[in-house]
């Protein structure tokens, strides 16, 4: 049967053979994409290293470094230290009301713990790395 198909194919004009080959390749590419793209999307979502949410395990602290000083009730900027070396710059304010009222200033380079996020602004406290258990 396959030999008959090949013999019939070889009797076609050259331009019909080329069109038939292109049509078969097109169908194969479409089928591969339809089957593999959803699989790739699922694998990417499962293995993605990017930050999905600030809601982390309660024992895990999300650490950042101040890149623009934060003082009192004014906004500064924090770069998130995400596994894999990714740096994400975000707007930040002091979390504790008493620190804002006392006009506390976190200088550039200070390590901070991100406590929460509201309306795209991170609320931070100064990191106390001495009390962090290994």
């Amino acid at each position: 049967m396959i030999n008959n198909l090949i013999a019939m194919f070889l009797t076609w004009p050259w331009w019909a053979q080329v069109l038939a080959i292109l049509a078969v390749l097109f169908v194969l590419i479409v089928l591969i994409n339809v089957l593999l793209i959803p699989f790739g999307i699922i694998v990417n979502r499962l293995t993605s290293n990017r930050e999905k949410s600030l809601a982390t395990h309660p024992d895990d602290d999300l650490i950042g470094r101040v890149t623009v000083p934060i003082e009192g009730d004014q906004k500064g900027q924090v770069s998130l230290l995400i596994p894999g070396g990714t740096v994400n710059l975000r707007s930040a304010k002091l979390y504790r009301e008493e620190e804002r009222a006392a006009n506390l200033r976190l200088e550039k380079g200070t390590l901070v713990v991100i406590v929460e996020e509201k309306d795209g602004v991170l609320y931070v406290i100064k990191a106390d790395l001495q009390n962090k258990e290994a």
Side-chain angles (χ1 to χ4, degrees), residues 41-113:
I41 290 171
I42 292 169
V43 169
N44 187 33
R45 286 190 182 169
L46 293 175
T47 62
S48 177
N49 208 14
R50 66 186 168 92
E51 173 201 10
K52 290 180 176 59
S53 167
L54 290 178
T56 59
H57 189 275
D59 295 336
D60 294 339
D61 292 331
L62 192 54
I63 303 293
R65 185 178 309 273
V66 176
T67 54
V68 174
I70 304 169
E71 184 171 2
D73 202 32
Q74 299 194 358
K75 290 181 187 176
Q77 192 174 50
V78 170
S79 63
L80 299 179
L81 305 178
I82 299 172
T86 306
V87 177
N88 186 5
L89 298 176
R90 302 285 297 272
S91 179
K93 292 179 85 171
L94 293 171
Y95 175 71
R96 296 184 179 123
E97 183 63 40
E98 60 271 13
E99 291 177 348
R100 288 194 298 257
N103 222 21
L104 177 71
R105 180 178 173 90
L106 297 179
E107 296 293 335
K108 182 178 180 180
T110 305
L111 289 177
V112 293
V113 176

